[in-house]
Amino acid sequence: MSSDLIIDVTPSEIVIALQEDKKLVELTSEKRGAKFAVGDIYLGSVKKLMPSLNAAFVDVGYGKYAFLHYLDLGQKFATFNSYVKATASKKSKLSSFSKIHVEPDIDKEGKISDLLNVGQKILVQISKEPISTKGPRLTSEISITGRYLVLMPFGDNVSISQKIKTVEEKNRLKILIQSIKPQKYGVIVRTVAEGKKVAELDQELRQLVVKWETTYNKLSKANAPALIVSEMDRATTFLRDIYSPDFSNIIVNDASVCNEIADYIGSIQADKRKIVKLYKGQQPIFEHYGVEKQIKASFGKVVSFKNGAYLIVEHTEAFHAIDVNSGNRAKVGPDQEDNALDVNFAACTEIARQLRLRDMGGIIVIDFIDMHLIANRQKVYDHMTEIMAKDRSKHNILPLSKFCLMQITRQRVRPEENIETAEICPTCKGKGEIVPSILFADELDSKVKYIFTDLNNRKLTIKVHPYIAAYLTKGFKSLRFKWFRKYLKWVNIESKNTYSYMEYHFFDENLEEIIF
C-alpha cells in the first residue's frame, strides 16, 4: 500500500491530507501560529479548586481556564512541584537536573486540595486541545515525545510498546535503553523503535534530554502563564507519528515548509529525503491531486461507499450516530443475509476511514443492517476490530447487539474536523429566490466592459465553475471570442471545481481580485 502526504500551506493555516492508495484517510489542519497544541508544556497558575470534582482550574493563557484532575497530576507531581519551586527561588543552589531530589510518589486516592493552593505555580502539559466551549485539558505527568522514544523526567522505568510482539526484541530494547538512559529519567519505547540500532536511539534520547533540560533556564525567568516547551508544528508532529518507509511522496506547496520537512525526513532516513517534493503548479494543490473532490464527497451527512450503499452520519451533543443503508444493494443476490453481511463488511471499512478522517471522538453508535445469524455478527465485529487496528487513537469496540448495534469509544484530543459541504446558492444567497438566469451573461458582459474601458486593465482572468467555463469558451461565437473582437484583449478563463455553479471572480494582471 502506497501512502502520499499532501500539504497545503496558506498564510492562515496548514492543511495536511494523508492518502492511502490515492484514497483520503486523514485530514488535519493547524492555524499558523496556533497555541495550546497537545504536548505543549506551560507554567500555569492555579485559579480555582473544585473539591467536589477533585480537580482544579489552571490559567495557561487561554481564554478559558484549563482543567486539571487529581488523577492527571501523575505520581511524580511532588518532584515536579519541588523542581518548579527550586527554579523560581533565587536562593536555590541547584546547578544541574541530576541533583534534584526525587520525592515519594503521591497518594493515588488523595485530594486535590492537599497538593494545590490558589495562586500556586504549576508545570503542566496540554493533553487535550480546546474543543468547542471547553478550555484545554491538562496533565502534570510531563513527557517529551520523539519518534522512537518518550522521555519521562524523574521516572526510572523502561516500558516497551505492547505492539512489539516478539519477546526477544522487547528484551533487546529494554536492556539497550537501560544501558544508555541517564539517571532520573524513565523511557517509553514506541513501536517504530523495533529493529533500530543503538546509535539511532541514543541520538534521539540525547536530543530529548536536552529539550527537557532547557526548561530550567526558562522556568527561572518565566512568569505564569508562560509557554515553556513547544511541541513541533502540526505537519512535523503528524510525520513523526505516522511516517513509515512505505511513504511514496510528501508534496508541499511552500518552499520553506518543504525544506523543513525534507530535513526532518533526512534525519530519520537519509535516502528518503527525495520523496519530499515542492509543488509548483498553478492549480491549487488539493485540486490537482484530487483531495478537494474527496473532501466534498467524504464530509457531510450522506456518504456513499459501495454499489449504491451509503452511510448517514449524525452528530449530537452526547454521541455520533452512523446508520448503514444498503440502497439498491437490497436487490442484489437471492440471500438477504449474505447481502446484509456484504454491505456491513464494506461499511466497516468506510466507517473506520470516516472516524480517522473526521477525527470523531467520544461515543459512536453504528446501526448496521440486521443480520440474524450470530456467526455473521461476530464476523462484522472481527472485521471492524481488524481494520480499526490502523487507527492511532485509543479506542474500544463492543460486539454487535442482537439488533445489530455496535458501540465504539474513541479518544479525541483535538477538535473534530467538520467541513461544511453544502453550498449556498451564489445567486440567491440562501434566500430561495434568484434573478433571471438569462441575465447572467449580461451581468458578466457589463463587468468585463467596466474592467477594460473604465479601469483600463490590460489583462483579465475570470475564475468560474467548469460548466460556466465551457459556456464562455466553447464555440466560434463564444462570449470570450466576442470580448476579444470588441476590446482586442484576451480574457483568460480558469475553471475551478471548488466553485459553486454560478460563482465567478475577476482577477487583474497581478492576480489580485477585482472587487465590485
Side-chain angles (χ1 to χ4, degrees):
M1 178 178 65
S2 64
S3 298
D4 297 325
L5 205 63
I6 315 297
I7 302 177
D8 182 18
V9 181
T10 67
S12 60
E13 67 177 350
I14 297 177
V15 186
I16 307 159
L18 172 63
Q19 294 192 121
E20 293 178 354
D21 292 333
K22 304 302 180 184
K23 191 163 188 177
L24 183 66
V25 294
E26 289 193 43
L27 185 73
T28 184
S29 61
E30 178 185 31
K31 298 293 182 184
R32 304 295 292 271
K35 299 180 180 178
F36 311 103
V38 171
D40 286 350
I41 299 174
Y42 284 83
L43 179 65
S45 175
V46 178
K47 290 299 181 182
K48 189 175 183 180
L49 298 180
M50 301 292 291
S52 59
L53 298 176
N54 205 16
F57 286 103
V58 181
D59 181 13
V60 292
Y62 186 68
K64 292 182 178 289
Y65 292 151
F67 183 80
L68 176 65
H69 194 273
Y70 181 88
L71 295 177
D72 293 322
L73 289 177
Q75 294 181 339
K76 300 298 179 182
F77 174 77
T79 308
F80 279 108
N81 197 32
S82 298
Y83 177 58
V84 172
K85 290 180 179 178
T87 55
S89 174
K90 295 181 180 179
K91 298 180 181 180
S92 173
K93 296 181 180 180
L94 185 66
S95 59
S96 70
F97 180 79
S98 61
K99 292 184 179 181
I100 298 169
H101 176 67
V102 177
E103 304 285 345
D105 293 352
I106 65 172
D107 183 6
K108 292 182 180 180
E109 304 296 330
K111 297 184 181 299
I112 196 84
S113 55
D114 295 336
L115 297 174
L116 296 180
N117 300 305
V118 174
Q120 180 178 338
K121 303 297 184 291
I122 180 175
L123 196 63
V124 292
Q125 189 168 27
I126 306 293
S127 63
K128 195 172 187 178
E129 292 179 11
I131 295 175
S132 186
T133 59
K134 299 177 182 178
R137 179 76 181 256
L138 304 177
T139 178
S140 285
E141 197 166 8
I142 309 296
S143 62
I144 309 292
T145 304
R147 175 162 173 77
Y148 305 123
L149 308 171
V150 179
L151 187 71
M152 309 291 291
F154 304 121
D156 188 48
N157 295 333
V158 175
S159 302
I160 310 295
S161 168
Q162 294 182 356
K163 292 183 179 179
I164 298 177
K165 300 300 182 183
T166 62
V167 176
E168 294 81 4
E169 180 63 9
K170 285 185 176 181
N171 291 336
R172 182 188 77 88
L173 289 169
K174 190 162 189 174
I175 294 170
L176 190 156
I177 297 299
Q178 284 175 336
S179 67
I180 63 175
K181 81 174 184 67
Q183 289 186 339
K184 298 182 181 178
Y185 284 106
V187 175
I188 299 173
V189 181
R190 305 183 73 185
T191 308
V192 289
E194 186 173 6
K196 297 302 176 183
K197 297 178 180 179
V198 63
E200 293 178 88
L201 301 179
D202 182 59
Q203 181 184 13
E204 181 171 273
L205 182 59
R206 291 175 184 273
Q207 292 171 349
L208 297 178
V209 169
V210 169
K211 186 175 182 179
W212 163 250
E213 294 190 353
T214 58
T215 60
Y216 177 76
N217 290 330
K218 291 182 179 179
L219 281 171
S220 63
K221 301 173 184 177
N223 292 317
L227 176 64
I228 304 300
V229 177
S230 177
E231 180 62 287
M232 295 183 291
D233 63 83
R234 184 69 58 86
T236 311
T237 303
F238 197 67
L239 273 173
R240 180 192 69 195
D241 293 337
I242 70 165
Y243 175 76
S244 76
D246 295 333
F247 267 40
S248 303
N249 297 288
I250 299 173
I251 304 163
V252 194
N253 63 349
D254 181 90
S256 61
V257 176
C258 182
N259 290 332
E260 289 175 14
I261 292 174
D263 290 341
Y264 180 73
I265 295 297
S267 68
I268 297 172
Q269 201 172 359
D271 62 324
K272 281 289 186 176
R273 185 186 174 99
K274 61 186 178 183
I275 70 171
V276 183
K277 302 169 184 175
L278 178 64
Y279 174 73
K280 298 180 180 179
Q282 294 295 321
Q283 196 176 28
I285 186 170
F286 275 7
E287 193 168 326
H288 180 79
Y289 289 100
V291 175
E292 193 68 46
K293 184 176 182 181
Q294 291 190 67
I295 291 174
K296 293 287 187 182
S298 300
F299 287 85
K301 183 176 178 179
V302 180
V303 180
S304 299
F305 61 93
K306 182 183 179 182
N307 296 336
Y310 60 94
L311 306 175
I312 295 179
V313 184
E314 296 276 9
H315 306 281
T316 73
E317 190 68 27
F319 63 92
H320 308 278
I322 301 177
D323 185 31
V324 180
N325 293 272
S326 61
N328 57 22
R329 276 302 307 252
K331 302 176 183 178
V332 179
D335 191 336
Q336 178 59 30
E337 184 79 8
D338 288 344
N339 283 335
L341 179 63
D342 185 51
V343 173
N344 287 339
F345 256 56
C348 287
T349 303
E350 182 59 32
I351 290 168
R353 172 176 171 262
Q354 286 290 324
L355 297 185
R356 292 173 64 190
L357 187 57
R358 304 186 188 210
D359 200 10
M360 294 164 63
I363 301 173
I364 301 106
V365 178
I366 305 166
D367 183 8
F368 284 101
I369 298 171
D370 287 345
M371 296 177 295
H372 302 292
L373 298 180
I374 296 175
N376 285 343
R377 295 201 290 267
Q378 183 62 38
K379 287 178 182 178
V380 171
Y381 169 73
D382 292 340
H383 184 57
M384 179 63 86
T385 303
E386 180 184 348
I387 59 177
M388 283 287 288
K390 298 179 183 178
D391 197 328
R392 291 174 289 112
S393 294
K394 294 180 182 178
H395 58 271
N396 185 41
I397 306 172
L398 297 182
L400 278 74
S401 71
K402 67 178 181 179
F403 301 111
C404 279
L405 294 175
M406 175 184 285
Q407 296 180 59
I408 298 176
T409 57
R410 185 176 184 272
Q411 183 186 34
R412 181 175 65 176
V413 296
R414 295 185 176 92
E416 177 185 332
E417 289 291 341
N418 186 18
I419 297 175
E420 184 60 57
T421 56
E423 298 173 348
I424 294 177
C425 173
T427 49
C428 75
K429 309 299 182 185
K431 296 177 181 177
E433 296 178 350
I434 65 171
V435 296
S437 57
I438 195 172
L439 301 179
F440 178 72
D442 293 341
E443 185 178 322
L444 286 178
D445 191 55
S446 65
K447 290 184 176 181
V448 169
K449 178 181 178 182
Y450 171 76
I451 291 170
F452 282 148
T453 57
D454 294 3
L455 298 183
N456 200 28
N457 282 33
R458 292 176 299 172
K459 294 182 180 180
L460 174 63
T461 298
I462 306 178
K463 297 182 180 181
V464 291
H465 187 276
Y467 288 172
I468 302 300
Y471 170 73
L472 295 176
T473 58
K474 300 300 180 183
F476 179 69
K477 294 185 178 181
S478 67
L479 263 179
R480 181 167 65 175
F481 182 74
K482 291 179 180 177
W483 290 333
F484 178 71
R485 291 187 61 185
K486 187 173 183 180
Y487 305 109
L488 299 178
K489 296 176 182 177
W490 188 253
V491 178
N492 183 35
I493 307 293
E494 289 188 15
S495 61
K496 295 291 180 182
N497 289 320
T498 54
Y499 281 15
S500 51
Y501 181 54
M502 297 181 74
E503 180 181 0
Y504 59 86
H505 297 275
F506 292 87
F507 297 85
D508 61 17
E509 58 266 26
N510 299 317
L511 293 181
E512 294 182 359
E513 186 171 0
I514 302 171
I515 306 298
F516 291 90

